[in-house]
Amino acid sequence: MKFGQQLRDSLFPDWKFYYVDYSGLKRFLYERTEKGYTADDESEFVKLLDSELEKVNNFQQTKSSEMKQRIEYCEKQVDLITQNPAPEDAKREQLDIIEREIDAVISEVYELAKFTRLNFTAFIKIVKKHDKNAPFILKPIFTERLNSRPFFKENFDELLLELSRLYNIVRNGGVDVDGNKDPQAGNGQNFVRQTTKYWVHPDNVMELKLYILKYLPVLIYRTKGMAAPPNPAITSIYFDNEDLDLYQGRLEKSEGAEAIRLRWYGDMDSSEIFVERKTHHEDWTGEKSVKERFSIKEKHVNEYLAGTYTLDSKIERLREEGKKSEQDLQDMDKLSHEVLDSVKTKHLVPVIRSFYNRTAFQIPGDARVRISLDTELTMVREDSFDGKPRAGSNWRRTDIGIDYPFSQLPEQDVCRFPYAILEVKLQTQSGVEPPQWVLDLIDSHLVEAVPKFSKFIHGTSVLLEDRVDVLPFWFSQMDRDIRKPATKGIGISRTNSPRGSFVAIDNATRQRVGGGHMGSKTPSQTSEQYQNDDIEVVVESEPGEHSSQNEDTATHYSNNYDGAEPPNEATSLLGRQNRSKSWLHKINPFSPTNKPMHNGRHSEAPFTSRQDQPNKRIAVPVRVEPKVFFANERTFLSWLNFAIVLGSLALGLLNFGDSTGKIAGAAFTVIAMMVMVYALMLFQWRAERIRRRESGPYDDRIGPTILVVVLISAVVLNFYLKIISH
């Protein structure tokens, strides 16, 4: 689908005059180019482009300011309602009206995000068309003009936080009941926890966030004295060796496979570093996969990894303070020694850095449903395997911070993942169904299920692809557009504001006391700007809604647009450019040359390799239990049983038969030996494939065919010799 058609299909009709006139600008270019494009034409085109940019920027800024004022207005109304000594029924009725107003604001925030992204993409594309068809280069100049009117830098996270808090207060009858609860409370022991992961297309990120906050508030971890919300950035340094043993173990889900990482939250100046170890256990072992961690000061990390620093002093201090139990302290000491031992014995070094901004949704103190959304996911090389001292002798490289999209790094050192990662954690009692809205969400068009997705595995397989032999199974999903037709009833729909239904709470009280019904008078607090409330727009959010809320996901624009090329109009808005074909087609014989997208479009893969690679095996997740190995052994014993019976027959013919019987006995003896050798080879071959978790097939059609032919030949030979002997 051409972008012009996509723009016409996506815009909100009531505000179509505020979108960039993409068709008009394109028509101007083509008409003037056919006649011979002159300097006067260029001057006129620049004026038209500036006028469109000013129009879009002014509208976006006006609408953004209006959203903030409407939220403030709702907050004031909630305060008035809760402070007024009116009957609960009257308060509840007014809070319901406020809730509908919040729904209307949510729908407009969603439309405003769509508006921002569509117009930003339109400007980039029209400038690209200009530079391609006109004899003048406009991109460098327009880049400066675009940065001077940064409508695409609008950060909607502040609006999301305010809407989340306000929605939660209104749902709880006007009281902030969750304000003083411990976010980590409510994690009982007699529960079954299920964790599933999903990809979210950048077009759906804002819609997904707004949909979730209707049911769960944004979870904010605040410490004493902290006024502003904490930085949502999470950065991890994963360790491995040159043979990538940890990668291989985690990819194949080997029993006891480890992942060791160092993680910190927020900025680079964070002094607390968490050393974490994740250990995989198969279900049949009776143990659960576990994640263990302890904290250490950043200044001690290098000493700890070198083995010259221990946690003895910290453990002793915690013991004196009584903040942790003796068992916890022993576990911390044991974990610190085991992690250090793994680093030493397996020769582990920093390999991959993962960075993302996390938005968590959970009712404080209630861990039954927890949802996290990771945006702006980026993987960066930390190793020195190719001779480049990225981290040097330090435990992490120091030439970058949390400055997404890390444009200062060479392309071979960074992998910007094209989707957001949604993680749904359900902690419900056995036999209890999760909330219906969660089931509707995971079955909707907003998400794409990717079980067992791993940031460490993906980053390693992409950035160190010349060192890996096995690729994760989700690579086959990277070659298709994960967007789906909208699911009815799921997502954000247009909601009209009920502001005309607001009633002064004192008037409602007097009417109820007098036995009358509530009126529909509008309070004096309603300002003029709310009288026309049918304002909405059209565009979707980016891979993240933080520092680069409105960057173009196709090329990972930073907050300061640098003139990066947008995607081709005939392809998805995702996708690395200058790639003729995804390398996955070369390793997947079942992958067609052209993948059809929805609405009849053809898309390129949103991720492609940097260079051609030889064929590599894709690891398909296969659940292997002990009974599979036992079944292989039973098959082997069955073959041996057949060989023993055949061998016994052969021995009888050799010892007690005539000359013909001895010849047949010799033939059957050879066949019995062949069966035993074949059974042993087949057993070893199947056992190796099972250990490697290969998806099959496990049958052998050649061996049994040969054995049948040989057996028939031996029987025919015996029959022939017996006939001619008479």
Side-chain angles (χ1 to χ4, degrees):
M1 179 188 293
K2 294 290 186 178
F3 177 75
Q5 182 63 40
Q6 180 184 350
L7 179 61
R8 288 190 294 272
D9 293 344
S10 301
L11 60 78
F12 185 64
D14 289 357
W15 301 101
K16 61 183 179 181
F17 299 112
Y18 295 95
Y19 288 83
V20 60
D21 187 9
Y22 181 80
S23 299
L25 292 171
K26 188 167 66 172
R27 190 183 312 111
F28 178 92
L29 275 177
Y30 289 158
E31 290 176 353
R32 299 300 174 94
T33 302
E34 290 178 358
K35 298 177 182 179
Y37 200 85
T38 65
D40 292 337
D41 295 330
E42 177 69 5
S43 177
E44 187 176 353
F45 180 81
V46 170
K47 289 181 180 178
L48 290 174
L49 198 61
D50 275 344
S51 175
E52 293 297 312
L53 179 58
E54 189 71 22
K55 176 184 69 176
V56 171
N57 182 69
N58 290 342
F59 175 77
Q60 196 266 357
Q61 296 297 323
T62 300
K63 288 300 297 180
S64 179
S65 176
E66 180 187 334
M67 293 300 102
K68 295 176 182 178
Q69 292 179 21
R70 289 175 65 179
I71 292 174
E72 292 176 359
Y73 175 74
C74 289
E75 291 176 342
K76 292 178 181 178
Q77 289 297 310
V78 170
D79 291 340
L80 289 174
I81 293 172
T82 54
Q83 294 172 8
N84 198 292
E88 291 300 321
D89 291 345
K91 290 184 178 181
R92 184 67 262 175
E93 197 164 336
Q94 286 294 292
L95 289 173
D96 290 341
I97 297 175
I98 296 289
E99 185 172 349
R100 293 200 299 273
E101 169 67 6
I102 299 173
D103 287 337
V105 174
I106 286 175
S107 66
E108 292 201 10
V109 170
Y110 165 63
E111 295 290 355
L112 186 58
K114 289 178 62 182
F115 174 88
T116 302
R117 185 172 190 268
L118 269 181
N119 282 282
F120 180 72
T121 306
F123 280 120
I124 303 307
K125 285 184 173 292
I126 198 63
V127 171
K128 180 183 177 183
K129 281 188 177 295
H130 169 277
D131 291 355
K132 180 180 179 181
N133 294 279
F136 302 94
I137 301 299
L138 183 59
K139 185 170 70 174
I141 300 175
F142 183 73
T143 298
E144 296 181 4
R145 297 187 179 184
L146 191 60
N147 284 324
S148 68
R149 298 177 180 88
F151 71 92
F152 60 94
K153 296 181 183 180
E154 180 67 29
N155 191 327
F156 293 97
D157 275 1
E158 293 182 6
L159 292 178
L160 286 174
L161 291 175
E162 290 300 321
L163 285 170
S164 172
R165 188 184 69 84
L166 189 57
Y167 219 119
N168 198 39
I169 292 175
V170 171
R171 278 197 301 261
N172 293 317
V175 182
D176 189 5
V177 297
D178 298 331
N180 298 321
K181 287 187 177 179
D182 180 8
Q184 296 282 27
N187 294 312
Q189 296 181 350
N190 301 321
F191 289 90
V192 178
R193 162 158 271 171
Q194 295 178 330
T195 302
T196 51
K197 294 183 180 180
Y198 304 86
W199 289 346
V200 181
H201 193 279
D203 291 355
N204 297 329
V205 168
M206 177 60 74
E207 184 176 10
L208 178 68
K209 285 185 174 182
L210 294 172
Y211 175 78
I212 295 175
L213 68 80
K214 288 185 176 183
Y215 303 94
L216 293 178
V218 176
L219 187 65
I220 300 176
Y221 293 92
R222 281 193 173 96
T223 57
K224 291 184 177 179
M226 179 184 293
N231 192 317
I234 299 178
T235 312
S236 302
I237 306 294
Y238 290 89
F239 282 64
D240 208 336
N241 53 34
E242 291 196 37
D243 296 328
L244 301 181
D245 291 334
L246 269 60
Y247 165 85
Q248 196 74 18
R250 297 295 296 184
L251 179 60
E252 298 186 348
K253 299 298 179 184
S254 303
E255 170 59 28
E258 289 182 334
I260 294 177
R261 69 189 181 198
L262 272 61
R263 167 174 288 188
W264 70 94
Y265 300 86
D267 299 322
M268 292 292 292
D269 56 2
S270 175
S271 61
E272 188 174 29
I273 308 298
F274 292 92
V275 181
E276 300 183 350
R277 181 183 67 180
K278 300 174 73 174
T279 307
H280 174 73
H281 292 296
E282 296 282 6
D283 291 342
W284 56 266
T285 63
E287 299 183 46
K288 296 291 184 181
S289 297
V290 295
K291 182 176 76 173
E292 308 162 283
R293 73 176 186 175
F294 62 90
S295 63
I296 186 174
K297 294 296 183 182
E298 193 277 332
K299 61 183 179 181
H300 297 312
V301 172
N302 284 324
E303 297 175 6
Y304 167 73
L305 294 175
T308 59
Y309 176 82
T310 64
L311 298 183
D312 294 345
S313 59
K314 178 179 180 178
I315 292 175
E316 187 61 31
R317 185 180 72 254
L318 292 174
R319 181 179 287 113
E320 293 176 357
E321 295 174 352
K323 293 183 177 180
K324 290 185 176 292
S325 66
E326 187 63 30
Q327 183 62 47
D328 290 339
L329 295 176
Q330 292 177 7
D331 292 341
M332 180 188 299
D333 184 56
K334 179 182 177 182
L335 178 61
S336 66
H337 285 89
E338 290 178 350
V339 170
L340 182 60
D341 183 63
S342 294
V343 171
K344 294 294 185 181
T345 57
K346 298 178 181 178
H347 307 288
L348 303 181
V349 294
V351 172
I352 294 292
R353 172 186 298 209
S354 71
F355 165 85
Y356 49 88
N357 285 309
R358 169 164 290 181
T359 304
F361 300 87
Q362 179 185 331
I363 298 176
D366 185 352
R368 289 176 296 176
V369 180
R370 176 186 171 88
I371 296 178
S372 62
L373 184 65
D374 299 336
T375 55
E376 298 175 351
L377 172 59
T378 307
M379 282 73 74
V380 178
R381 288 189 67 170
E382 293 275 341
D383 66 279
S384 303
F385 297 156
D386 56 357
K388 298 180 181 179
R390 294 177 176 85
S393 58
N394 196 32
W395 65 277
R396 63 181 178 185
R397 61 191 302 169
T398 56
D399 58 336
I400 58 173
I402 59 172
D403 44 346
Y404 178 87
F406 307 99
S407 54
Q408 71 271 34
L409 295 178
E411 281 300 305
Q412 62 268 24
D413 277 11
V414 61
C415 169
R416 302 175 187 88
F417 195 70
Y419 306 127
I421 308 300
L422 180 75
E423 190 169 349
V424 180
K425 295 182 179 181
L426 300 176
Q427 183 171 286
T428 56
Q429 294 179 344
S430 300
V432 177
E433 288 291 329
Q436 184 60 43
W437 70 268
V438 175
L439 299 178
D440 293 338
L441 172 63
I442 62 181
D443 290 334
S444 72
H445 68 285
L446 298 175
V447 299
E448 171 79 2
V450 188
K452 306 299 182 183
F453 175 80
S454 166
K455 303 177 181 73
F456 164 58
I457 290 175
H458 186 85
T460 304
S461 61
V462 173
L463 298 175
L464 300 175
E465 56 190 359
D466 57 329
R467 290 179 170 268
V468 301
D469 297 320
V470 185
L471 302 173
F473 74 92
W474 56 80
F475 269 40
S476 60
Q477 292 175 263
M478 300 290 292
D479 260 4
R480 62 184 179 85
D481 191 341
I482 66 171
R483 287 173 290 187
K484 310 166 190 173
T487 305
K488 187 176 181 180
I490 300 297
I492 303 300
S493 58
R494 177 65 177 168
T495 304
N496 291 326
S497 172
R499 283 188 297 275
S501 302
F502 285 136
V503 180
I505 194 70
D506 53 347
N507 292 340
T509 303
R510 288 193 296 269
Q511 291 178 9
R512 286 186 177 274
V513 171
H517 296 284
M518 291 186 66
S520 57
K521 297 180 182 179
T522 304
S524 58
Q525 291 90 338
T526 305
S527 62
E528 294 180 0
Q529 63 178 320
Y530 295 131
Q531 293 176 2
N532 183 7
D533 59 337
D534 294 328
I535 298 180
E536 289 203 13
V537 215
V538 191
V539 165
E540 320 204 313
S541 65
E542 315 317 323
E545 277 67 39
H546 302 278
S547 61
S548 55
Q549 171 65 34
N550 297 299
E551 66 193 18
D552 187 346
T553 58
T555 47
H556 307 283
Y557 298 114
S558 64
N559 269 355
N560 289 322
Y561 168 63
D562 58 5
E565 293 293 337
N568 188 288
E569 287 188 10
T571 65
S572 166
L573 290 180
L574 280 173
R576 293 175 182 250
Q577 300 307 306
N578 302 322
R579 304 289 195 268
S580 60
K581 184 180 178 181
S582 169
W583 63 272
L584 188 59
H585 289 300
K586 302 176 182 179
I587 63 174
N588 185 3
F590 301 104
S591 184
T593 302
N594 294 310
K595 294 278 187 178
M597 289 172 56
H598 65 285
N599 298 329
R601 289 184 292 170
H602 292 274
S603 69
E604 293 178 358
F607 160 78
T608 50
S609 171
R610 295 174 178 80
Q611 59 186 17
D612 292 335
Q613 292 294 321
N615 290 351
K616 297 183 180 181
R617 183 166 60 92
I618 292 183
V620 179
V622 178
R623 184 186 184 90
V624 180
E625 297 183 356
K627 63 182 181 181
V628 178
F629 292 94
F630 297 153
N632 188 31
E633 291 181 5
R634 287 196 300 270
T635 305
F636 172 64
L637 295 176
S638 297
W639 278 106
L640 287 184
N641 182 61
F642 170 72
I644 291 172
V645 172
L646 190 60
S648 300
L649 174 62
L651 289 176
L653 291 174
L654 287 173
N655 293 325
F656 305 105
D658 53 13
S659 57
T660 302
K662 291 181 179 180
I663 295 174
F668 285 122
T669 300
V670 173
I671 294 174
M673 295 172 62
M674 290 174 57
V675 170
M676 287 188 286
V677 173
Y678 168 76
L680 179 61
M681 293 177 61
L682 186 63
F683 170 76
Q684 296 289 354
W685 175 74
R686 285 175 173 165
E688 177 64 22
R689 298 197 71 183
I690 293 172
R691 277 193 293 270
R692 293 172 60 184
R693 283 178 167 77
E694 295 189 12
S695 57
Y698 289 88
D699 61 314
D700 177 22
R701 298 183 179 182
I702 299 177
T705 302
I706 294 175
L707 288 176
V708 170
V709 171
V710 171
L711 277 173
I712 293 176
S713 301
V715 172
V716 171
L717 176 63
N718 184 34
F719 181 76
Y720 173 75
L721 293 176
K722 199 66 176 178
I723 292 296
I724 63 175
S725 65
H726 290 288

